[in-house]
Amino acid sequence: MADITEAPEWSALAEHQAALAGRHLRELFADDPGRADRMTVTAGDLHLDYSKHRVTDETIGLLTALAERAGLRERIHAMFAGEHINVSEDRAVLHTALRLPPGAELTVDGQDVAGDVHAVLDKMADFAGQVRAGEWTGFTGERIRTVVNIGIGGSDLGPAMAYEALRDYADAGISCRFVSNVDPADVGTALADLDPATTLFVISSKTFGTLETLTNAKVARSWLVDRLGDEAAVSRHFVAVSTNAERVAEFGIDTANMFGFWDWVGGRYSLDSAIGLSLMIAIGSEAFREMLAGFREIDEHFRAAPLDANMPVLMGLLGVWYTDFFGAQTRAVLPYSQRLSRFPAYLQQLTMESNGKSVRADGAPVVAQTGAIFWGEPGTNGQHAFYQLLHQGTRLVPADFIGFAEPFEDHAADGPGMHDLLTANMLAQTSALAFGRTAEEIAAEGTPAAIVPHRVMPGNRPTSTILVPKLTPKTLGELIALYEHVVFVEGTIWGIDSFDQWGVELGKVMAQDLTPALTSAEPPSGAPDPSTAALVRRYRELRG
Ligand code: F6P
C-alpha cells in the first residue's frame, strides 16, 4: 500500500488517539503502576524511559503494527544490504558500512565496501597519528597545533558537534576550529589569531563543488601563502576530504593528501567517514574507533531487537504518533550536557534535511504530515529561556531529555556537586512536564484565588529521558546512530526518500545568478521577482 494513511493500522491509531487524548499522564500512571519499570528499553549503553509519553501498551502495539504494515523490517534489511533505497538519486544508503568491524565483508554494486572503508580509516589513522606525533609538520618544520575544518552542512556539523562533545578527549595539544558560513566574519574570526606555520586546513566537501566551502578554502589558502610567502606551503597545510578527486586536484591539493568516501554516504550521515578527520586528529584514532564501535552497537540493536523493544523504532514511532495523531509540529532535544551544545544543530540537519519532504518516494504527494521541526539547547540554559512555553504554552512539544550519570569533571561550590544539580534539574523538568500541578494543589498552599490559574501547571507534556553512563566517544556514537535510525523509521512510515535533499538546490542556483546583480556596475538585472529586484537596488545604494 503506497498511502499509509489508508491502512487499517492508521485508522486504528486515529481511533485510539481519540480515546486516549483526554487522559492525563497522571491517570495513566495511577492506572498502571508498573509502567515506569516496563516502559524502558536499553540499547548498548543507552537507557530510554518512555513511560512519560501519552501511550499505553495498546498504543505501542498499534504503532508497531503500523511499522510492520509500512514494511519497516524489510526496509531495515534493504538499507544494511546496500539496496538502492535512495530512489531519487538511485543510490545505496550505507552509512552503516562506515562502522563495520575490521574483517567484515560487504560487497555492493561490485564494490568491496568493507575493504574500502577500512583502507580509508587506516589512511586517516596513519595521517592523524603523524600529525599528533609532530611528524607531519608545517612548511617551516613546526608541529601542527590547530586544525581548521572548512566545510558546510554535513561536512561541518558532524565534526563540529563531535569535537565539542569530545573535547575532553583531545589529548595531543591540537585544537580544532570550524569554518562554514560564506559570511566573511566566519573565516575572519577563525583565522584572526592563528599562526599559519602551525595550522592545518582540512577542506571537507563531498562534492568539492560547494560555493561556501570553496570560497572559504580559497581565502584560507591566500591567507597562508601571503604569510608563509611560498605557494609550496599549500601541500603541507591543506588536505582534502571528498568523493571527487578531480576537483580536489583542480583546487591544488595533492590527491595523495585526500581522504575519500563514496556517494552512498549522505552528507548528514558522514561524520563517521573521512569527514571525521579533524575529530580524529584531535582525539586520536583509537578514540575515533571507539566512537565507531558505539555506532555499531546501535546498528546491531536496530537490526536485531524486536520492534517493541527497539529504541530507534520506538522513538521514531513516537515521533509519528505526535506528528500525525496529535498535530505536534516540533520536537525539542534537550541535552543536559554543555558539551552537547551543538547536538540540536546537528540533529536539525540530520532530521529536517532527511524528512522535510512533501512527496513520497514514488513521487506522489504525501497525505500525512512529515518531519517535525527539531530544535533545542542544553539544559539548564533552556530552562531560563523557553521552557515556560513547554510547561504552560498552548502547543504540544514532545521533548527528548538526554542526561549523563558521570561528568568528565565536577565542581562543588558550597553544596552538592554541580553535576548532581544539573541532573536534578533534568529530572525535575520531566516530572513537572508530565504531572504538573493542579489548581487544588496550588490553592492549598495559600495562593490567592486570582493568581491560582497563572500558576497551574497543566502537565501531560510528553518526554523521553535518555540516560547514559558518561559522555565518551563510544556513547556519542551510540547517540548519533540512535537518531540516524529514528529518522529512518519515521521516513519509512511516511514512505519518503530520507536520503535526498533536492529542496536546497534552487536557492543555491539563484544565489549564483544574483551575485553579479549585486556587484556589477550595470543597472540591476536578473533578479527573479520585483521584490527581490527592489532589494537588490536598495542594497546597491547602501553599498554606494
Ligand atoms: O546544501 C545541502 C548539502 O548538499 C548537504 O546535504 C551537504 O551536507 C552540504 O550541502 C555540503 O555539501 P558538500 O559536502 O558536498 O560540500
Side-chain angles (χ1 to χ4, degrees):
M1 175 170 312
D3 182 357
I4 192 74
T5 65
E6 284 177 10
E9 290 81 0
W10 190 276
S11 318
L13 276 160
E15 265 172 46
H16 175 68
Q17 192 276 344
L20 197 67
R23 302 197 67 202
H24 198 285
L25 276 166
R26 285 186 213 117
E27 282 173 68
L28 298 183
F29 272 87
D31 292 354
D32 177 9
R35 64 184 276 136
D37 290 327
R38 201 178 61 252
M39 291 188 170
T40 63
V41 55
T42 299
D45 297 292
L46 311 181
H47 172 86
L48 166 71
D49 176 336
Y50 63 95
S51 65
K52 295 192 189 79
H53 278 288
R54 293 172 66 176
V55 295
T56 61
D57 290 340
E58 189 188 350
T59 324
I60 300 300
L62 292 170
L63 284 167
T64 50
L66 183 73
E68 297 278 13
R69 164 68 68 172
L72 179 61
R73 286 176 204 276
E74 297 75 20
R75 286 266 304 174
I76 294 173
H77 177 78
M79 174 172 70
F80 279 90
E83 286 178 31
H84 286 208
I85 61 169
N86 177 354
V87 287
S88 79
E89 296 178 312
D90 191 18
R91 285 177 185 166
V93 173
L94 270 176
H95 44 276
T96 50
L98 298 169
R99 47 266 192 164
L100 284 171
E105 287 178 16
L106 179 66
T107 301
V108 172
D109 301 333
Q111 183 195 350
D112 174 8
V113 164
D116 289 354
V117 162
H118 282 279
V120 173
L121 262 179
D122 291 345
K123 182 174 172 183
M124 289 165 66
D126 181 48
F127 178 70
Q130 287 182 45
V131 176
R132 287 164 59 80
E135 289 158 19
W136 176 283
T137 59
F139 185 61
T140 60
E142 287 186 64
R143 62 185 297 156
I144 300 298
R145 299 270 172 217
T146 311
V147 175
V148 179
N149 182 81
I150 297 183
I152 196 164
S155 300
D156 165 72
L157 286 162
M161 175 278 289
Y163 173 70
E164 192 52 40
L166 300 177
R167 60 188 308 147
D168 296 314
Y169 297 84
D171 56 358
I174 298 173
S175 64
C176 294
R177 295 183 186 189
F178 296 85
V179 173
S180 53
N181 200 336
V182 80
D183 183 337
D186 198 10
V187 68
T189 308
L191 299 183
D193 60 346
L194 280 186
D195 175 359
T198 60
T199 301
L200 176 73
F201 292 95
V202 178
I203 313 303
S204 297
S205 174
K206 181 174 169 180
T207 54
F208 230 76
T210 303
L211 174 91
E212 291 89 337
T213 300
L214 294 186
T215 306
N216 278 316
K218 284 177 199 158
V219 169
R221 187 172 59 188
S222 309
W223 173 86
L224 182 101
V225 171
D226 282 357
R227 282 159 182 77
L228 295 185
D230 198 331
E231 192 68 38
V234 170
S235 66
R236 301 301 299 174
H237 292 270
F238 277 76
V239 299
V241 177
S242 187
T243 58
N244 195 325
E246 220 170 281
R247 288 192 181 153
V248 167
E250 257 169 48
F251 181 85
I253 296 178
D254 184 351
T255 49
N257 299 329
M258 165 180 157
F259 300 84
F261 61 116
W262 309 272
D263 69 359
W264 40 259
V265 183
R268 50 196 177 270
Y269 298 87
S270 65
L271 161 65
D272 45 341
S273 72
I275 290 290
L277 181 64
S278 50
L279 174 70
M280 187 193 269
I281 294 172
I283 66 171
S285 60
E286 224 171 277
F288 193 88
R289 287 183 203 273
E290 281 167 26
M291 182 180 80
L292 297 182
F295 274 94
R296 189 157 65 237
E297 193 144 342
I298 298 302
D299 291 346
E300 281 158 15
H301 167 85
F302 184 48
R303 280 177 97 157
L307 298 186
D308 62 358
N310 190 313
M311 195 180 291
V313 171
L314 287 168
M315 285 178 62
L317 291 174
L318 287 167
V320 172
W321 178 231
Y322 294 115
T323 299
D324 292 303
F325 297 92
F326 281 82
Q329 301 222 344
T330 83
R331 165 109 154 250
V333 178
L334 308 166
Y336 276 65
S337 162
Q338 193 58 31
R339 293 285 186 249
L340 285 186
S341 60
R342 299 287 288 153
F343 197 56
Y346 170 77
L347 288 186
Q348 284 182 328
Q349 189 200 12
L350 180 67
T351 61
M352 290 159 75
E353 201 165 76
S354 296
N355 284 345
K357 309 284 165 65
S358 43
V359 292
R360 295 192 314 239
D362 63 7
V366 298
V367 179
Q369 292 289 332
T370 60
I373 298 158
F374 270 68
W375 61 285
E377 270 290 314
T380 57
N381 293 0
Q383 290 176 205
H384 295 271
F386 53 78
Y387 278 37
Q388 166 63 36
L389 183 149
L390 302 189
H391 285 288
Q392 289 187 315
T394 54
R395 293 169 193 281
L396 182 72
V397 183
D400 296 353
F401 284 72
I402 304 171
F404 298 87
E406 279 289 321
F408 194 87
E409 66 178 281
D410 205 357
H411 304 281
D414 48 5
M418 291 178 79
H419 187 75
D420 289 338
L421 277 177
L422 178 71
T423 307
N425 269 278
M426 177 181 83
L427 298 175
Q429 290 298 325
T430 60
S431 180
L433 283 163
F435 299 101
R437 299 206 80 198
T438 62
E440 295 71 43
E441 285 166 339
I442 290 164
E445 288 171 348
T447 305
I451 305 301
V452 168
H454 297 280
R455 296 193 51 199
V456 167
M457 299 285 278
N460 215 19
R461 317 264 157 149
T463 60
S464 290
T465 304
I466 300 170
L467 200 56
V468 188
K470 186 176 181 178
L471 181 58
T472 63
K474 177 163 183 266
T475 59
L476 180 69
E478 293 177 54
L479 279 171
I480 300 168
L482 169 65
Y483 280 95
E484 285 178 350
H485 299 322
V486 166
V487 167
F488 181 86
V489 171
E490 294 181 346
T492 297
I493 302 292
W494 293 320
I496 58 182
D497 183 340
S498 301
F499 303 101
D500 61 14
Q501 60 284 322
W502 297 104
V504 296
E505 297 305 324
L506 176 62
K508 287 186 198 173
V509 173
M510 287 171 68
Q512 275 182 343
D513 293 348
L514 270 170
T515 309
L518 295 184
T519 51
S520 117
E522 301 301 314
S525 68
D529 63 82
S531 161
T532 308
L535 288 165
V536 167
R537 279 195 297 278
R538 180 85 181 130
Y539 177 82
R540 285 180 50 168
E541 277 161 29
L542 291 170
R543 293 278 288 175

